Amino acid sequence: MNRPLSALLGLTSAAVIATTVAAPASAATSQAERPFLFTYTFDGHLKVAGGHFTVGGRVYVSVKYSNGVTAFHKWATARTHPVTPGGAVYVDTTLASPCSGSNNGYAEAYDAATKRWSARLPVTVCRRID
């Protein structure tokens, strides 16, 4: 006798539907896991780093002026890191740092695997005059 699985398990159709619909919601990426960036200075350069990217995936990191003109960009591969959660990127830019002035630009990163952008991080963009 062929009986529906829900009947064999003693479930109503409504319970089966509710279970099926609820499962994907628990697997959804939370807002806390959105890719993030931070910056620091080392050896006179601006460094852009971040986490919650796809481990082993390609990440596009860019620093732009407020008007959208790109000052620096580079593709990097996200790797595991003992301190930074998820896939981490650490990119050495060609931009000088520290430098005086106010935030005249921003850094952002794109996770190619998830097609998600990090939030824009305000930065001061300046170039070395040697």
Side-chain angles (χ1 to χ4, degrees), residues 11-34:
L11 301 173
T12 65
S13 297
V16 172
I17 292 169
T19 303
T20 304
V21 172
S26 66
T29 303
S30 72
Q31 188 66 15
E33 293 175 345
R34 179 178 182 184

Side-chain angles (χ1 to χ4, degrees), residues 1-102:
M1 174 176 185
N2 290 335
R3 296 175 62 189
L5 181 59
S6 58
L8 293 173
L9 297 175
L11 301 173
T12 65
S13 297
V16 172
I17 292 169
T19 303
T20 304
V21 172
S26 66
T29 303
S30 72
Q31 188 66 15
E33 293 175 345
R34 179 178 182 184
F36 67 90
L37 294 178
F38 59 94
T39 60
Y40 62 100
T41 297
F42 183 76
D43 201 23
H45 289 161
L46 175 69
K47 311 291 186 182
V48 178
H52 283 307
F53 296 101
T54 304
V55 175
R58 292 174 39 95
V59 177
Y60 178 76
V61 178
S62 66
V63 177
K64 297 180 179 183
Y65 292 97
S66 297
N67 65 6
V69 173
T70 302
F72 174 86
H73 65 96
K74 181 177 185 175
W75 281 97
T77 302
R79 311 241 186 253
T80 59
H81 190 271
V83 176
T84 308
V89 293
Y90 285 80
V91 175
D92 181 9
T93 74
T94 55
L95 304 170
S97 185
C99 56
S100 61
S102 61

